Amino acid sequence: MNPLGLLWLGVCLGLTSGCPADCDCHRKFSFQIADCAYRDLEAVPSGFLPNVTTLSLSANKLTGLGVAAFVEVPLLQSLWLAYNEISSVEPGALAVLSQVKSIDVSHNRLADFPWGDLHNLTALQLLKMDNNHLVALPQDAFLSLQALRSLQLNHNQFLTIAEGTFDALTSLSHLQINNNPFNCSCRLLWLKAWAEDTHVSIPERNSITCASPPSLQGVPLARLPPQRCTPPTARVSHHPSLDSAEVQEGWALALHCAASGHPQPQLQWRIQTPGGTVELRSPNVQRDGQALAGGPKHPRFLAFGNGSLVVPQFSRLEEGTYTCHAKNELGHAEGSVNVTLATAESPLEDLLVRKFQAKRGGGKGCSTMDNEVVPSGAEDNIVIIYLSGRGPQKGKAGGSLELGLWLPLLCLALLTI
Ligand SMILES: *[C@@H]1O[C@H](CO)[C@@H](O)[C@H](O)[C@H]1NC(C)=O
Ligand SMILES: *[C@@H]1O[C@H](CO)[C@@H](O)[C@H](O)[C@H]1NC(C)=O
Ligand SMILES: *[C@@H]1O[C@H](CO)[C@@H](O)[C@H](O)[C@H]1NC(C)=O
Ligand SMILES: *[C@@H]1O[C@H](CO)[C@@H](O)[C@H](O)[C@H]1NC(C)=O
Ligand SMILES: *[C@@H]1O[C@H](CO)[C@@H](O)[C@H](O)[C@H]1NC(C)=O
């Protein structure tokens, strides 16, 4: 038989004996090894023995892993895929490898990864994902990896890592997260404290640096200066000094959302009226009350950048619950008041009047009287808006509106006489 015939025979034998033509298969102790590295392979070959424990596909030209890529080798313990051109892994492709202890997908082109597959890989001890283009890491990605000892996420595009991401990794001893473009906002501060505290070895610490914000670019996480980071609080009150410069006629309701927090929270109002719910991002007007470009010319609700909300023409249609929602990267909070228009049908005596403010339609400002009923003759000309607040249980001191108490506030506006 000529050499070519021998080769063909070999190939056929190879196929029938459970080794793809492009691979080298052998047994070593209890391991069944399939070595398909350095073969210019563009797809995962088929024809493996079902008892393969080690599969090397490193340094090929694989571009993706289909969902069925490893169904032939469910007993795999080690999977080497480094130095390919893999940019996609179909969800489910790795989940079948319930015995796998080591996976190396480093030096590929992954921007995305089926993180859910890791939940099935409870035997995993080594996971190398470095030198890819990975951007986002779900907080629960490693939840099932109690056996994981070494994790390499370095040289990727991760902007942040959520607090608690490594908490389930009780066996972890080696972690590489250097050379990612970290956004050193309040949300990442936990990582600095955690890295200082943990027994896990974290090499190349000076290469764990911030890429943003610009003021911190290049600063190693370990040398991050202290930052003010507090979650928001929000409280809605009537704003006593809000004058009626922007209120032409009719009656105006003026509320103020006092919000705190670092970074400065973003405010949003949710106004639930019988006619429907209005959501507006604050601000929707400029400081002078002029509508912002692109918005409605005469907004029904004016939300100012400083937290004040003005309803220039308050009527029955504007009755309802006014909620201010404050949000920053550390959390969110909200405060709200109910606003009702009291007319002749809702008798004044029923109201627990503690405080009221009267405002003339022309806008002369408010006068305040405590614990008194409105002294007015011309009932028909009076529109009463009373507010009841609910907010933090404590904090009784000061303030025009004490939230936590049912505290009515009257705002009277006299019709132009
Ligand atoms: C895997 O199966 C083949 C064929 O049945 C056998 O020859 C080989 O010894 C097995 N390998 C191991 C590690 O058990
Ligand atoms: C996860 O692993 C179990 C065995 O532990 C297996 O039965 C199941 O099919 C796997 N899930 C997927 C999605 O492959
Ligand atoms: C960094 O995070 C902050 C807070 O979440 C965010 O406002 C900002 O846009 C982020 N910057 C970059 C460059 O992603
Ligand atoms: C908010 O801004 C408006 C318009 O500039 C102003 O009338 C109002 O007094 C301000 N509110 C506070 C609490 O400073
Ligand atoms: C507003 O009224 C609704 C019922 O109409 C009530 O559930 C809510 O607690 C009230 N909110 C405040 C802030 O008083």
Side-chain angles (χ1 to χ4, degrees):
M1 197 178 275
N2 66 29
L4 198 64
L6 266 178
L7 187 66
W8 278 112
L9 184 67
V11 167
C12 292
L13 277 175
L15 274 178
T16 51
S17 68
C19 190
D22 284 314
C23 307
D24 244 345
C25 302
H26 58 280
R27 179 179 173 170
K28 194 171 185 186
F29 311 116
S30 61
F31 298 105
Q32 187 66 36
I33 296 164
D35 182 359
C36 321
Y38 298 96
R39 302 290 206 286
D40 290 335
L41 294 174
E42 290 173 13
V44 178
S46 60
F48 293 107
L49 285 174
N51 63 356
V52 169
T53 56
T54 303
L55 172 57
S56 176
L57 289 159
S58 306
N60 279 295
K61 295 205 161 93
L62 304 180
T63 56
L65 301 174
V67 68
F70 305 114
V71 285
E72 279 185 359
V73 286
L75 302 179
L76 212 57
Q77 293 182 24
S78 303
L79 178 59
W80 310 120
L81 290 162
Y83 293 99
N84 276 280
E85 295 158 19
I86 300 169
S87 59
S88 76
V89 180
E90 273 183 37
L94 299 171
V96 294
L97 302 176
S98 56
Q99 320 272 311
V100 79
K101 291 183 181 155
S102 309
I103 294 182
D104 183 354
V105 285
S106 63
H107 295 275
N108 276 287
R109 297 179 185 169
L110 293 169
D112 200 6
F113 187 79
W115 298 100
D117 276 26
L118 294 183
H119 294 157
N120 225 23
L121 308 190
T122 50
L124 202 60
Q125 295 176 5
L126 170 95
L127 180 57
K128 278 184 65 142
M129 309 186 84
D130 56 281
N131 290 280
N132 278 287
H133 311 301
L134 295 166
V135 177
L137 179 60
Q139 199 227 7
D140 65 354
F142 307 129
L143 216 54
S144 317
L145 305 187
Q146 271 81 20
L148 197 70
R149 293 203 290 236
S150 177
L151 176 60
Q152 289 179 228
L153 300 170
N154 49 298
H155 290 89
N156 274 291
Q157 296 297 321
F158 293 116
L159 292 174
T160 195
I161 297 179
E163 184 164 8
T165 300
F166 305 128
D167 282 2
L169 301 174
T170 45
S171 306
L172 195 68
S173 64
H174 178 93
L175 174 67
Q176 272 189 263
I177 51 172
N178 50 285
N179 296 87
N180 280 292
F182 285 125
N183 180 352
C184 293
S185 68
C186 288
R187 269 196 306 183
L188 198 68
L189 277 192
W190 73 274
L191 188 59
K192 179 189 182 203
W194 182 85
E196 279 165 8
D197 229 40
T198 183
H199 296 301
V200 177
S201 124
I202 306 176
E204 301 194 47
R205 290 198 186 217
N206 282 338
S207 302
I208 305 173
T209 57
C210 310
S212 63
S215 59
L216 294 174
Q217 191 175 2
V219 175
L221 186 71
R223 289 204 287 276
L224 211 56
Q227 290 180 53
R228 282 178 77 187
C229 295
T230 48
T233 65
R235 203 173 62 96
V236 179
S237 64
H238 180 266
H239 185 246
S241 66
L242 190 74
D243 218 86
S244 48
E246 58 285 317
V247 179
Q248 264 82 42
E249 48 186 339
W251 305 285
L253 169 67
L255 299 175
H256 185 68
C257 179
S260 70
H262 282 272
Q264 175 92 23
Q266 287 198 323
L267 301 186
Q268 199 167 352
W269 287 93
R270 187 174 67 246
I271 302 160
Q272 293 159 281
T273 67
T277 299
V278 177
E279 302 230 16
L280 29 116
R281 189 174 277 277
S282 179
N284 70 348
V285 290
Q286 302 167 24
R287 281 173 62 102
D288 61 2
Q290 294 295 306
L292 292 178
K297 210 137 182 230
H298 299 291
R300 188 170 158 212
F301 305 99
L302 311 179
F304 290 92
N306 60 8
S308 293
L309 179 84
V310 173
V311 188
Q313 304 274 333
F314 195 91
S315 74
R316 276 260 177 253
L317 297 174
E318 280 74 40
E319 283 186 331
T321 304
Y322 286 68
T323 304
C324 167
H325 184 92
K327 183 178 174 213
N328 73 10
E329 57 182 289
L330 295 148
H332 52 87
E334 55 183 42
S336 64
V337 289
N338 282 340
V339 184
T340 307
L341 193 62
T343 58
E345 302 99 67
S346 39
L348 260 185
E349 305 84 68
D350 290 352
L351 306 176
L352 255 172
V353 181
R354 275 269 211 97
K355 210 175 237 186
F356 73 87
Q357 300 195 346
K359 184 176 252 185
R360 287 183 178 274
K364 288 287 184 299
C366 293
S367 64
T368 308
M369 279 183 243
D370 280 326
N371 302 315
E372 265 179 62
V373 175
V374 186
S376 174
E379 297 278 336
D380 289 350
N381 285 345
I382 297 172
V383 169
I384 300 156
I385 302 162
Y386 63 87
L387 312 172
S388 69
R390 184 194 54 189
Q393 294 312 305
K394 347 175 242 233
K396 294 257 169 76
S400 63
L401 195 78
E402 293 178 6
L403 303 160
L405 292 176
W406 193 91
L407 184 56
L409 182 147
L410 298 177
C411 192
L412 310 175
L414 297 173
L415 274 176
T416 19
I417 303 158

